[in-house]
Amino acid sequence: MSRMGPPHGGASMPAEKAKDFKGTFRRLVSYLKPRRKKLAAVFLVAILSTVFAIVGPKIMGMAITELFEGAYGQLQGVPGGGVDFGVIGQILAILAGLYLFSSLFSYIQQYMMSTVAQDTVYDLRQDVNKKLGKLPLMYFDGRPNGETLSRMTNDIDTIGSTLQQSLTQFITSIVTIVGILVMMLTISPLLTLIAVVSLPLSLFVIGPILKRSQKYFSSQQKNLGRLNGHVEEMYTGHQVVKAFGHEAKSNEQFDAVNEELYDAGRKAQFISGIIMPMMTLIGNLSYVLISVVGGILVTQRAISIGDIQAFITYSKQFTQPITQTANIANIIQSTVAAAERVFELLDEQEEVEEVTTSVLARAKGAVAFEDVDFGYGKDLLIENMNIDVRPGQTVAIVGPTGAGKTTLINLLMRFYELNGGRITIDGLDSREMSRHKLRQNFGMVLQDTWLFNGTIRDNIAYGKNGATEEEILAAAEAARADHFIRTLPDGYDTVLNQEVSNISQGQKQLLTIARAILADPPIMILDEATSSVDTRTEILIQQAMNRLMEGRTSFVIAHRLSTIKDADLILVMDQGKVIEQGTHQQLLDKDGFYADLYHSQFSEKVAV
Amino acid sequence: MIKILKNLSPYKWVVLTVVVLVFGQTIAELFLPTLMADIIDNGVIKGDIPYIWRIGGWMLVVSAIGAIAAVFASFYSAKAAMGMGRDLRQKVFKHVGQFSLQEFDEVGTASLITRTTNDITQVQQVVIMMLRMVISAPIMLVGGVIMAVSKDAQLSLVIIGAMPVLAISILLILKYGMPLFQEVQQRLDGLNLVVRENLTGIRVIRAFNRETEEKARLQGANRELADVSIKVNKVMAFLMPVMMLVMNMTVVAVIWFGGIRINNGAMQIGDLMAFIQYVMMIMFALVMASFMFVMVPRAAVSARRINEVLEMKPAFTNDGTAKADRRRGTLEFEDVSFYYPGAEEPALSNISFTAKPGEITALIGGTGSGKSTLVNLVPRFYDVKSGTIRVNGVDIREASQQEVRSKIGFVPQKSILFTGTIADNIRFGKQDANQQEMDHAASIAQATEFINQIEGGYAAEIEQGGSNLSGGQKQRLSIARALIRKPDLYIFDDSFSALDFKTDAKLRKALKNETKNATVLLVAQRVSTVVDADRIIVLEKGKVVGMGTHKELLESNEVYREIALSQLSEEEIA
C-alpha cells in the first residue's frame, strides 16, 4: 500500500535494527530476482523521469534569459530587439515535452512497481503459507498466535509498502542529488559551493533535533502503550473495579499516565514541528545568498539571469531528496528487520520427514504404547510407558486440571515426536506410516471447538472430503445437532460469524461431534469437559458422545464417573506424568492418588 | 467533528496565537519572492550591488522572522492538540467509568477501548495536522493569489485556469482510490481471519488431514489481497505525476504569457520570476488542502464514535445516602423483576427469597436462565425494573453504590486480574490488608500452594489479563480477593468452574467456617457444588421453578431432577 497523507516533518520513530542486515537484505533481494527484468525497466524509467525533471529548470532558465535579453535589448533600442517568440516557443515546447515525459515515466514506474511489489509480497506470503503446513505443533504451541499472524500480515505488508514507495524513491533521490549537483556545477561552481555548504549546516542543526525528537517519540509511544493497557484492563475489568470500589484509584492512575503522555507527546510534536522551519530557514539562507551572489555574478556577466532562476529552483529541490534519503534509510532498516522476522519463521525447523514403509488403510483400532519416553524439553514427562488397548476398548484419562492430558493426544496423533519407544496402531509403528494415513484413523472432539467462518454445512463437511448431503444430515442427526440446526433462521446454510458467537458453546460442541461422526474414524479422542454448557444441551452432548464411542477405540479425557468406572483402562495423570494405570477397581485397591482423587470428588455426593 | 473540536475551547487563545503565528510565517514566505524580484529588477539589471546586499539582508531578516514564528507556532500547536487529546481522553475515561454494565453491553467493551484510545489519537493527529498545515494552506492560497495579482493581474488568469484543473484531478484520483483502499483493508482483514483460523485450528486441520484445502484457502485470500493492492497502487500512481504535470505546465504557460507581457513592457523580468514562485506556492497549498479531504473524513468517523460515548448517559443515578448495615449478613429479594434494555421478555420475573447469616443460597439452571443476571443485580450493576433488593436490610437504591458494594465480596464468572503483583491483586479487595490477612485469604482460596511455588511468591508479577497463570490459579486469586474483604455478603458467579473436583471440595469446606456470619449467594453448573446449600433456587427462563434443599428438590422438582440426572448416575444421587 502506498502511504497516504501529507509528508511528515521528517522525524520518524527510531527504526528497529535487524540482527543480520546484510544477509537478510541479500535474501530479500533474491525474492525480486524473478522480476529482475521488470525491476530493471522500473529503474530505467525512474531514472529517465528524474533526469527529465532535473533538466527542466535549466531549460526554463534559458527561456528566461532569452526573454530577458530580448526585452532588455528592446529597452536599450538594439536593432532587431524585442523578444524572439519563435525561439522562446521552441524552448518552451521542449520544456513542456520534458515535463510531459517526466510525468509519463514517473507514472509508468509507479504502475509497474505496483505489480512487482505486490507479486513479491504474494510470493512471500505463499512461502509462509507453505511453511505453516510443514511446521511441527511444537512451533505453534511455543509462541502466541499473534506473533505468527503479525509476521504474515504486518511484517510482509511493511516489505510491500517499502518496495512500492521507498525503493524507487531511494533511487530517484540519489539520481536527483547527483543530477542537481551536476546541473548546478554547469551553471556556476561558486553558487554550487554556497548551496552545498548549506548541507552540512542543515545536518549539523537537524541532527541533534532529530535525535531528541526520536527520544520523545519513543517515550510518547511507550506512554501510549501504558495508557492503552490501563484502559483495556479497567474496561475489561469494569465489573470488578466497581465491585471493589476502585474507581478513584483507577482514575488517579489514568490521570498520571495521561499527563506523562501529554508531556511526551507535546515535546515530540513540538520538536518534530521545528524541523521543517529549520530546514526552511537554512534553505532561505542559501536562497538569499544565491540571490545576492547570483545577482552580483549577473552584473559581472558571469552567468545569465535565467541561470539564477534555474539555480534557485535547484537549490530548493536539493534539500528534499536529502532528507528523503535519510528517512528512507530508516524505513529500509525497519523493513529489513521485518523481513528478518519473516525469514526466521521460514527457517524454523520443520517436521520430521515422513517414512511410509507401512501402509495402514482402515485400522481395527488396536493401540499400544511400547516403552514410550517423551518430554517437551529435556525432562521426560513420560518414561517407559506401556499400555495395550484392544479394538473397541475405552481408555479414561483422569487427573486434576493442568495435569497435561493433552500430552497423550499430542503423541497419539503424532503432533509431537517420541523421545524413545514406539506407538503402534494395529501392530504397525506409527512412525512408519504417513501422518496423513495415521490421522485418518483418529477422530477428535475437544473442548476447544474449532469451527471456521462458513456455513454449518461446510463446518460439518469438514470431517470428510466430498461428503454428500445425506451423509452430512445423517451425521448431524446422529450427533443430536439436527434439531437445533433446523431452528436456526437459515438452517444448514447459517453462516457462523467470525467469532463463532452466533451459536452457543454447547451447540458448537455438537457440531464438532457431527464432524467427527462424519469422519467415521476407528479411533476417537474425546474430551468430556462441558463447562459453560447448559444442562439440557449437556445431555445431548453426552448422548452424542456415547453414540460416537460405539464400536470404536476411545481415549476419553473423563469427567463423568460413569465413564471412568466403565473404562477398560484408566490412566491417572498428574503434573504431566502418567502416575498410575489400571481399572477402577485395581486403582481403588491400590489406594494411591486415584483413590484419593475419587474419594474427594465423589464421596460427598454418595453421602447425601 | 465540529463537536469534538469544541474541546479545543480551553485552548482558544493558544489556537489563536497559532493562527497569528502561522499567518506571520506565511506572510514572510510570501514576501521573499517579491524581495528577490526587487533584487533582479532594481539591483541586477541596474548593476546596483549595494542594493542587492541591502535587500538580501532584508530577505534574511524576513526569513528569520518566518522561522521564529514557525517554531513558536509548532510549540503552541503541539500544546493545543496534545492538550485537547489529554482532556478528551480523561473526559471519556471518567465518563465511561460511570457507566453501568448496561452501557458496556450496549457499546461493547472492545469498542469502548478503541474509542478511548485509537479514536482519540486519530483525532488528535488530525488536529495537529490542521493546526500546522491547514491553517497555512488557505493563507498561502489567498496570499499567493493576492501577491500574484499584485505582480500582474492579467497573468494571474493562468493560475485561475490551472487551479480547478489541479483540484479536480486530485479529487478524481482520490474518488477512485479511496474505495479501493477500503477494499484493501477488507481483504487484509479477510487474510487475517484465514491465518488466524489456521493458527488456532492447527490441531483440527491436521487431525482431519485438511492441510491442502486450508493452503488453497489461504492462497485465495492472499491472491485477492494482492490483486486489489495492485489495483489501488495503479490508481494512486496517477497522483504525483498528474500533480507535477499540471504545476509544470502552468509554469510553462506563465513564462509564455509572461514573455508577451514583458515584451509589451507591462511586466518586469524579476516579477515574472517571483510570479513563477507564487505559482508553485499556490499549487502546493492546493495539494495540502486536498489532503484534508482524505484526512478529515477519517477523523470524522473517529469523532463520531467518541461523541456517541460522551452522549450516553448512565441508565440510573447514584444518589442514595443510607448506611447499609441494618441487619448484617442478610440478603432479600422482594418480587424482583428485570428487563434488559429493549427486551420484550423479562430476564427475571418476580424473584423473592430471603437469605440469613451463615446460609448458602445456590442458583442453578440452564444457560440463559438468568443466574448471572440475578447476581449482577445485587451490586447494582444493573437496576431492577420492579421490586426491591435489600443488602443488610437496606434497599440498595437508598444507599450509594459504593456503600452497597463495600459490603459485598464478588467473584465474577471470568477471573479478571490486573497487572501488578499477586499481593496487589489480593489487596485489590482490601487496600490496607496486612500479610497475615493475605495469607489467610489465600489459604482459604486454596492458593497458598501455588503462590509458594511460583517464583517471587506474593511479589510475583502478573501479566496483563493474568496470562501467565492458569485458569484455576486465576480463579483462586479472584476468590482470595473477595475473601480478604470479610464482607457481609459473598457472591460466587460460577466461580469454581476452573477448579478440579478435589480443590473445589476443599475450598468449599474451608469457606464454610469463613462465612459463618455472612450470607453466600452462589451460581453453579455442577450439582455436586450445590448439594449442601441451605437453599437451592432453580431458575428457568428468568423464573423460579423450584426452591429448597437438594433432597427436597430431587423429590419434588422435575427440572432439578433432570439436571441432577445428567450429571450424576442414579446410585450417586441416592
Side-chain angles (χ1 to χ4, degrees), chain A residues 103 132 135 228 233 235 238-239 246 255 269-270 410 436 450 453 462 465 534 596 601 605 608, chain B residues 74 86 89-90 99 116-117 132 197 203 206 209 213-214 219 241 367 376 419 428 501-502 568 574:
Chain A
S103 277
L132 289 183
L135 288 170
N228 288 355
E233 268 199 335
Y235 283 9
H238 187 71
Q239 197 185 14
H246 260 249
D255 285 348
Q269 291 298 342
F270 167 55
N410 286 337
H436 191 94
W450 182 83
N453 178 214
Y462 206 82
N465 233 337
D534 69 85
D596 196 27
Q601 278 185 25
K605 276 174 243 159
V608 175
Chain B
S74 170
R86 174 193 59 184
R89 263 192 296 271
Q90 193 186 37
F99 282 3
T116 317
T117 55
R132 263 201 213 147
E197 280 182 349
R203 276 190 165 73
R206 294 200 175 172
N209 286 316
E213 286 86 348
E214 287 301 328
Q219 184 173 4
T367 27
N376 278 326
T419 324
F428 200 88
F501 283 105
K502 203 170 168 178
L568 316 165

Side-chain angles (χ1 to χ4, degrees), chain B residues 356-394:
Chain B
K356 292 191 272 299
E359 282 185 349
I360 296 175
T361 305
L363 297 168
I364 199 160
T367 27
S369 61
K371 297 171 306 217
S372 283
T373 307
L374 193 153
V375 297
N376 278 326
L377 288 180
V378 181
R380 220 176 160 209
F381 292 141
Y382 300 94
D383 226 7
V384 298
K385 171 94 177 170
S386 61
T388 312
I389 298 172
R390 290 191 197 88
V391 170
N392 285 354
V394 174

Side-chain angles (χ1 to χ4, degrees), chain A residues 271-291:
Chain A
I271 304 252
S272 78
I274 66 175
I275 290 176
M276 278 299 272
M278 282 303 166
M279 295 290 282
T280 317
L281 180 64
I282 292 165
N284 281 337
L285 204 69
S286 63
Y287 173 78
V288 170
L289 280 175
I290 288 162
S291 299

